[in-house]
């Protein structure tokens, strides 16, 4: 399978002020806003958005290998961080931003260059005014858990437009 073609870039800060988190993320899925440049570099993308739920998909490959020939764990942890933060963002109103306080991951199976398409799914577990807790699973072909983790997300005001 090949990685879908997307437009990549960074949305301007005025987009944060007019869209809720869920609307903003859905606009990325729909191609109305660009995909973040890091998704191009790392070969994963936002695939699905719901209320307190987000899914990413990605493709493994040789460009992700560590010195011993497996996909570097940082790649899996980055997807877990991204999907959990976006699940939290899907619940936030317009004019709100977020940042990760902590992400923890556990690796269950080796991820190889030819593992193929993976899917990361995250849900919100708990939400307060300032802190959102999330959980994620990174699933391989056939639905086997490759890695799983949790993130703590801090809610804050969005940056003002210049």
């Amino acid at each position: 399978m090949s990685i879908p073609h997307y437009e990549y870039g960074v949305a301007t800060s005025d987009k944060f002020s007019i869209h809720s988190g869920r609307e903003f993320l859905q606009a990325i899925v729909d191609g109305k806003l660009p995909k973040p440049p890091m998704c191009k570099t790392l070969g994963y993308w936002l695939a699905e958005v719901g209320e307190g739920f987000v899914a990413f998909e990605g493709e493994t490959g040789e460009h992700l290998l560590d010195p011993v020939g497996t996909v570097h764990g940082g790649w899996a942890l980055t997807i877990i961080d991204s999907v959990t933060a976006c699940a939290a963002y899907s619940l936030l109103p317009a004019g709100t931003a977020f940042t990760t306080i902590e992400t923890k991951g556990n690796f269950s199976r080796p991820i190889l260059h030819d593992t193929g398409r993976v899917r990361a799914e995250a849900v919100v577990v708990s939400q307060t005014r300032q802190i959102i807790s999330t959980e994620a699973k990174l699933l391989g072909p056939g639905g086997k858990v490759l890695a799983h983790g949790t993130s703590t997300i801090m809610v804050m005001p969005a940056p003002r437009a210049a």
Side-chain angles (χ1 to χ4, degrees):
M1 292 188 175
S2 63
I3 297 171
H5 174 74
Y6 294 125
E7 296 300 320
Y8 295 93
V10 177
T12 57
S13 60
D14 64 314
K15 301 297 183 201
F16 299 119
S17 63
I18 62 170
H19 294 294
S20 70
R22 186 173 178 183
E23 292 167 342
F24 185 87
L25 294 169
Q26 190 62 54
I28 292 173
V29 171
D30 295 341
K32 296 176 183 172
L33 290 175
K35 278 60 171 155
M38 68 179 284
C39 291
K40 181 178 183 180
T41 301
L42 295 175
Y44 68 86
W45 56 91
L46 182 59
E48 186 179 346
V49 178
E51 190 77 13
F53 170 84
V54 167
F56 277 69
E57 292 184 358
E59 288 283 340
T60 62
E62 290 185 5
H63 66 290
L64 301 171
L65 296 181
D66 63 18
V68 298
T70 59
V71 171
H72 191 280
W75 183 75
L77 193 59
T78 300
I79 294 174
I80 289 170
D81 178 63
S82 295
V83 75
T84 54
C86 287
Y89 189 41
S90 74
L91 297 178
L92 297 179
T96 310
F98 62 93
T99 192
T100 301
I101 296 172
E102 177 181 56
T103 296
K104 296 178 186 177
N106 295 289
F107 305 103
S108 303
R109 290 181 172 79
I111 304 172
L112 306 174
H113 76 280
D114 61 354
T115 295
R117 177 81 43 104
V118 300
R119 182 175 170 93
E121 297 179 348
V123 294
V124 170
V125 176
S126 173
Q127 179 182 12
T128 68
R129 188 173 58 81
Q130 291 185 306
I131 301 294
I132 301 175
S133 299
T134 55
E135 295 177 336
K137 291 180 183 176
L138 180 62
L139 308 169
K144 290 187 176 184
V145 176
L146 303 173
H148 57 95
T150 59
S151 289
T152 305
I153 310 300
M154 181 172 60
V155 179
M156 57 192 184
R160 295 183 186 188

